[in-house]
Each structure stands twice: as structure tokens, then as C-alpha cells.
Amino acid sequence: MRRIDTRRSALWAVVASLLVFTLVGAGTPGRKSETYKVEETLADLAFVRQSETQVEGIGLVIGLDGTGANAPPSTMRSDLVEEMRKAGVDHPEQWLERKDVSMVMVRGRIASGVKAGDRFDVDIELPPGCATTSLAGGHLLITQLRQVVNTPNQGLKKGAPLATAGGPMMIGSPEDASNPRKARVLGGGRVKSDVPFTMIVKEDRRSGRTVKLIEEIIRRRFHQSDGVNLQGMATGKTDSILVLKVPKIYHHNQSRYFQLLQLLPVVQTTELQADRLDKWAAELQDPKLAGRAALKLEGMGTIAASALQLGLNSKDPQVRFFAAESLAYLGNPAGVEVLAQTAIERKEFRNPALRALGASDQAAALMKLRNLLSEADTELRYGAFDTLRTADPTDPFLGRVAVYDEPEEEEDDFALQIEKAPFRRKAGRPEDPFALYIVDSTGPPMVHISRNIRQEIVIFGRDVKLLPPVVLGGGGSILLNAAETDLLVQISRVDSRTIDGRESRLTTPLELATVIRQVAQLGATYPEIVDILTAAYRQKNLPGPLIVDAIPIRTQAYDEAQLLGAAKKDDGVKKASAEEEPKKFRLFGRLRDRMKR
């Protein structure tokens, strides 16, 4: 690191304080000259807008166990009947009268930054006055989701479809998990087209020249190749709006990328860069300034790696952590040990520590994550798993296994062919209805299930078995039985679609993963299997805990530590106001900013 010449720096500070870059404004007639000051950052020119778009639709749920009821007359019901007619459904009114069917309202939120095909949770509610008593066991048919605007003159106005939703439903809401008249479809929504992030130029700074300058500032630090040329990550659309791309290394920590952008200096020269490097390297050694200084150094790119590595030698653990975190986002593995130790010892820093390990994408970082899979702390174990899957979904240490077997050869017996017809799937191994993992962990046995974003079961331990005696009745008509001395469990399903309501029955070892796969083979959905696992845990049939959504979250303590010592509150990242939507509905459930995890 350069030695600071105090006399030269003082002189340069005087000169820099007088230096301004003046560009003639363009794009707005009569606008005054644009002046960019040395001390300004992108936060002085623009902010990143992260918005959420409410989408909704009227859907049809089938497969209810006699709990459905016809919805009373309404505009929504008329719209659904009309959609069914357009889809070629004969006598749609008769369908709505069936006891195994119910009309429902479907709602969800699409966040900025998602790509076409990304999934999100959708919430299901019954329309006012509907007498349906339970949505348990129901399956939401594909429903078109649109933005609905309440206009002053024209009333409710529907936009074009932005997403579709459908799939097996999980009963309840986060506020009331046992409410049978509400439900969710985990990852049931699928976005139809990209929704990019946008950067909005502040009203008093808007001009074509400012937009071009912002493009260049971001391109100088962040760019990617299109195979031939290096492309910037920001593209101006008007004199007030730019579309932003997120570099791959920040895809799963987008808020950090936006923090970094707002700290990028507007005016850049070789001398200024050298002085800033010295200044921020010194600030990094101060625990009160370390978080913000590390971000500024990270914004400089790899030339700041040496200064950050010096931070790893600090006696203060907070300085060491912030230095290691920024090094990881520069692709430098020097701080991997510090990040792993922080994830273990400091729960309030666990989320950013794990994300940094995943972003690093270095062999040393991935090995640390794999080691954490065997820790006793349940949140740490699943947090490491989630990070590892995010970094590389194909990592063999995740232990992904297929839920469905390869299709069997066709039966010769005609009666058996008819009996298996309800469960028969397309030729070739079909797409798994949920993700199943067996993690080769040396820690205590544990099962993790997800109730947000994805349908996923993770078993920690290679030899996790059900503990007999087993008497379990899952959702629908799945039954599991094993006596105390049995080495096998009998799984059966009675379904009205089989011949004379006969049972489909099989016997399988007590190995939990095998039981889950076999239950799925009999047609059980993810919500039904979650019910079985929940009952198994309550009846002490599992050798370890059943954990739900144990993802470490970003804490206020981390935010305060990172920004402590900042001169003013950061306003470079803003949420779009509710009025922009133009009517905001209250939704149940948490919108994950890890829609793409």
C-alpha cells in the first residue's frame, strides 16, 4: 500500500475542493449547465427503484374431499365462467356446483429483477360468501395473473397477463397455519417476462448527459462480455431512467450491489483514485468506519485487494469480517477462514458471511460450506446448504436424488393397467414434483422442509430412518404402518379412481428418503408429504428434529455495524411507493428477495 504524503494530500485536497466537471445539459431545453462535484457519488444523482407488482386472478381448485361449494353470483364468478367457456369447458356452471371444486382468488407479488420463468409464492383465498369449508387436498388449475388497477372513472381495469399460477396447495397462511379456508402454492407463480431493475435520475439532475455519465461510471467498474464486446451494466432509456443488470457475483445479494453503486464516485481521476485508496484503507482499520470503508474499497475493484487483505490482520473481529466480505465479492479467497468462523460464532453476521462464501465461488469457500453442513446448529447447517445450492445447484455434495423412478414396462394385465391409470405419467422420467436431497452429513440427523418459495425436503444424514412403531395417516388417503419390531413399513392408498376403490399397497424399508419417494410414486403431493413428516415428528418417528425455513436472515445489527460512522443516512436505494401500483393489497406470506435461489 502507498505511504500517504500528508503535504501532497493536503495540497491536493485544496485543489480537489475547487475542481468541478461541467458538462452542457442535453435532453431538456433551457436546462442549466450540469456540474458534477468531486465529493459526489451516484447517490447524489440517482437511486435504484425496487418495486413489487401485485398480480391477481380468479382460479379453480379441484380435488377437494367433498368440502367445495358453489360461489355466490358476482363479477368474479361471471368472469371465471366466461374463461371456462372460452377454454372449451362444457357446462361450466355445473362444474362450479361440484363438491370437489371451488372458485378461489389467487394473488401474488412480482419483484423487480426477476427473469422470465422465475417462480414466486401465490396466496389463495375464498371469495366473499363462498361456503367452501376446506381447501385441503386441492390443486389449483393454471390461472392467469394480471395487475388490476382501480381507476377513478373506469373502475377496475385489468392489464395483460404477467404470470401464471397453479399446483398443489398447502393449507393455511403464515398468520394462521391451520386455517383450512386459506392456502398457498409454494413457487406456484411463474413470471412470463423479465422485470428489470431501474435507476431513476433525481428530478433536479435529469439530462441526457447525466444519464450518459451514469452509464460510464457503472461501466467503468462493472461490465460483462457478450462474446465479442464488453457491455456495461446500465443502459439509459430516457433522460431520467436507466435499466440495470446485476453482475453474476451479486445475483444473490442484490442489495449489496445497489449499496456499492450508490457509493461510486462521480468524478474520477488517477490522482483522486490514489488518494481515495489511501484514505479508505486507513478508515478500514477503524471498527466504526470499517463496514462503509470496505464497501468503498470493493467499489474500486481488484486494485483495492491489498488494502483489504491488510484488514484481515486487524485485532478487531469486525474489521476482519468486513475486509473478508469485500474480498469475497472481488473473487479473492484470502478471507474465507474469517467468513466461515464468523458464520459459526456470530449469528447476527451469519447471513452476510454465508452469502459472501457463496459469492466467492472459490474452491476454498465451497469446501468451507460443505464442512458447515455437519455443524450442530440447525440454522447454520441449512443456511450452508441453501448457500451451496445457490452457488452451484449441481454440486454433488448437495445429494440431490430423483423422486420418481424410471417408468416401468407396460403391464400385460388389463385390470392392472386400468388401476394404475390415475398415476400414470408421460413417457420418460417426468419432472420431479419437489426437490429431495440426502446430505452426507456427519452431524446429528435432521430433516428440513420449506414452506416458502420452493417445494423441497432436505435430509441431513445418510442413514435416517423412521422409528417404529409407525401409524401415520397422511393427507388424502395415504397410510403408513409398521410394528415396533418391523424392518419394513407398509404404505397404502385408497383412491376412488381405482377399480372398486381398491387399495394401492406396497412395502418398503424404513429409510426415510425411500419412504418419501414411494409415497410420491403413489401420487401424494408435496403438501401431503409435509403433513406426513409433521405427524411423524410429533409421534417421535423421526430420529432428529423437523426444521422449517431455517434460512439465516439479514439483521439490523449487521446493518448498523456496516454503516456506523456514516455522515448521513443513505438514500440511494428506495422502494417504489404503494401509490405507484395504484391500490395496494395486503398479502399473506413473505416475498423472498431469493426468488431465484
Side-chain angles (χ1 to χ4, degrees):
M1 189 175 68
R2 295 165 58 254
R3 180 182 295 276
I4 301 176
D5 185 329
T6 55
R7 291 176 299 177
R8 182 187 61 77
S9 294
L11 177 61
W12 178 249
V14 174
V15 175
S17 67
L18 300 175
L19 177 64
V20 294
F21 278 29
T22 304
L23 299 172
V24 177
T28 305
R31 181 177 290 276
K32 295 180 180 179
S33 297
E34 295 291 348
T35 301
Y36 308 104
K37 301 177 182 178
V38 168
E39 66 272 15
E40 284 187 319
T41 67
L42 273 188
D44 294 301
L45 304 182
F47 61 89
V48 177
R49 182 171 64 188
Q50 299 181 71
S51 62
E52 296 174 0
T53 300
Q54 160 111 11
V55 290
E56 58 186 80
I58 305 301
L60 193 67
V61 170
I62 63 173
L64 302 179
D65 189 16
T67 58
N70 199 349
S74 67
T75 302
M76 292 185 293
R77 188 181 186 281
S78 298
D79 289 346
L80 178 60
V81 169
E82 183 61 26
E83 284 189 24
M84 293 171 71
R85 284 200 178 101
K86 289 180 179 178
V89 177
D90 293 330
H91 310 296
E93 294 280 2
Q94 294 179 15
W95 269 88
L96 294 179
E97 293 173 357
R98 293 175 51 159
K99 294 294 185 181
D100 60 345
V101 170
S102 180
M103 184 179 92
V104 293
M105 299 184 299
V106 186
R107 291 173 178 163
R109 286 186 178 273
I110 300 174
S112 295
V114 299
K115 300 289 186 182
D118 282 349
R119 291 188 172 275
F120 59 98
D121 291 349
V122 292
D123 297 277
I124 313 296
E125 293 185 35
L126 293 169
C130 183
T132 295
T133 57
S134 175
L135 294 170
H139 186 105
L140 176 68
L141 297 182
I142 295 299
T143 304
Q144 300 292 327
L145 301 182
R146 299 173 168 86
Q147 186 175 21
V148 178
V149 179
N150 190 5
T151 62
N153 300 322
Q154 300 177 346
L156 292 179
K157 189 175 181 180
K158 296 181 181 180
L162 300 179
T164 58
M169 302 188 307
M170 183 169 286
I171 291 304
S173 66
E175 291 80 2
D176 185 1
S178 60
N179 188 341
R181 288 170 54 85
K182 292 185 178 181
R184 308 182 82 201
V185 182
L186 305 187
R190 188 186 289 269
V191 181
K192 287 197 169 188
S193 57
D194 296 354
V195 183
F197 289 109
T198 55
M199 177 170 273
I200 310 300
V201 182
K202 293 184 176 180
E203 189 171 357
D204 61 341
R205 309 303 294 268
R206 290 177 181 174
S207 73
R209 289 294 181 89
T210 297
V211 168
K212 289 296 182 184
L213 177 62
I214 293 173
E215 284 182 345
E216 176 57 25
I217 292 169
I218 297 176
R219 187 200 64 78
R220 206 159 51 203
R221 173 60 179 88
F222 298 106
H223 45 260
Q224 62 185 12
S225 173
D226 62 0
V228 180
N229 303 310
L230 289 180
Q231 301 292 327
M233 307 301 286
T235 304
K237 295 299 181 181
T238 69
D239 69 348
S240 61
I241 298 176
L242 299 94
V243 172
L244 286 180
K245 295 179 181 178
V246 179
K248 182 180 178 181
I249 201 167
Y250 293 99
H251 268 187
H252 304 289
N253 195 352
Q254 295 166 346
S255 60
R256 185 177 185 87
Y257 174 58
F258 301 142
Q259 277 185 299
L260 219 61
L261 289 184
Q262 72 184 58
L263 293 173
L264 293 180
V266 171
V267 178
Q268 183 72 283
T269 68
T270 302
E271 284 296 322
L272 281 173
Q273 185 180 60
D275 272 29
R276 287 165 179 158
L277 180 59
D278 285 341
K279 178 185 177 182
W280 297 339
E283 290 178 353
L284 179 66
Q285 300 299 324
D286 182 346
K288 292 184 178 181
L289 304 177
R292 194 173 179 86
L295 275 172
K296 292 178 180 178
L297 289 168
E298 185 181 329
M300 299 185 80
T302 55
I303 64 169
S306 296
L308 288 165
Q309 284 182 261
L310 288 177
L312 298 177
N313 300 325
S314 172
K315 294 181 180 180
D316 188 274
Q318 199 155 286
V319 172
R320 294 197 299 271
F321 168 73
F322 285 125
E325 185 182 24
S326 285
L327 282 168
Y329 287 98
L330 293 177
N332 188 314
V336 163
E337 187 63 43
V338 172
L339 293 173
Q341 203 61 31
T342 301
I344 295 171
E345 297 176 355
R346 300 192 64 175
K347 188 172 182 178
E348 71 275 20
F349 283 6
R350 181 170 291 165
N351 170 279
L354 290 174
R355 289 194 179 200
L357 284 171
S360 176
D361 198 25
Q362 301 289 326
L366 296 178
M367 186 56 66
K368 289 295 181 183
L369 288 170
R370 292 164 183 164
N371 292 341
L372 293 176
L373 296 174
S374 296
E375 289 287 326
D377 187 297
T378 56
E379 182 191 75
L380 179 59
R381 294 174 81 185
Y382 183 71
F385 172 88
D386 182 65
T387 304
L388 194 59
R389 179 186 9 79
T390 298
D392 181 8
T394 63
D395 191 311
F397 280 80
L398 297 172
R400 178 77 184 259
V401 296
V403 175
Y404 287 152
D405 290 331
E406 294 293 337
E408 300 175 358
E409 292 185 7
E410 198 69 41
E411 295 282 356
D412 292 331
D413 188 281
F414 184 66
L416 286 177
Q417 289 185 49
I418 297 176
E419 182 173 348
K420 290 187 176 183
F423 311 110
R424 195 171 305 286
R425 291 174 283 268
K426 295 179 181 180
R429 197 179 70 79
E431 181 182 356
D432 286 338
F434 56 89
L436 177 62
Y437 298 87
I438 307 173
V439 179
D440 193 4
S441 166
T442 60
M446 178 182 101
V447 180
H448 185 281
I449 57 176
S450 173
R451 286 186 177 270
N452 282 285
I453 304 301
R454 57 173 42 85
Q455 300 185 51
E456 173 193 86
I457 300 171
V458 185
I459 301 171
F460 288 84
R462 276 285 170 191
D463 194 30
V464 177
K465 297 179 180 179
L466 285 175
L467 304 178
V470 176
V471 181
L472 297 171
S477 52
I478 296 287
L479 300 173
L480 287 79
N481 289 279
E484 187 168 2
T485 58
D486 285 350
L487 299 178
L488 301 174
V489 60
Q490 185 180 88
I491 306 172
S492 58
R493 176 168 193 156
V494 178
D495 195 292
S496 59
R497 294 171 296 178
T498 59
I499 295 177
D500 299 325
R502 293 188 309 177
E503 282 188 280
S504 297
R505 182 180 298 180
L506 56 85
T507 303
T508 191
L510 290 166
E511 181 189 15
L512 184 58
T514 302
V515 172
I516 290 172
R517 294 180 70 250
Q518 293 297 337
V519 168
Q521 298 284 345
L522 288 179
T525 63
Y526 178 75
E528 290 173 341
I529 295 174
V530 166
D531 286 344
I532 292 172
L533 291 173
T534 302
Y537 175 65
R538 289 173 179 166
Q539 295 175 199
K540 302 187 185 305
N541 292 131
L542 297 181
L546 177 69
I547 307 299
V548 181
D549 292 332
I551 299 175
I553 61 173
R554 179 166 171 161
T555 65
Q556 183 178 350
Y558 167 78
D559 291 335
E560 290 175 350
Q562 185 189 51
L563 299 179
L564 188 63
K568 61 180 180 179
K569 183 178 179 181
D570 293 319
D571 61 355
V573 179
K574 297 183 180 180
K575 286 272 189 177
S577 66
E579 287 73 19
E580 291 179 351
E581 287 206 334
K583 179 176 177 63
K584 190 172 183 179
F585 293 88
R586 181 173 182 269
L587 286 183
F588 298 107
R590 172 179 67 173
L591 176 72
R592 291 278 314 146
D593 62 346
R594 300 176 304 226
M595 287 175 75
K596 302 195 312 181
R597 284 180 0 193

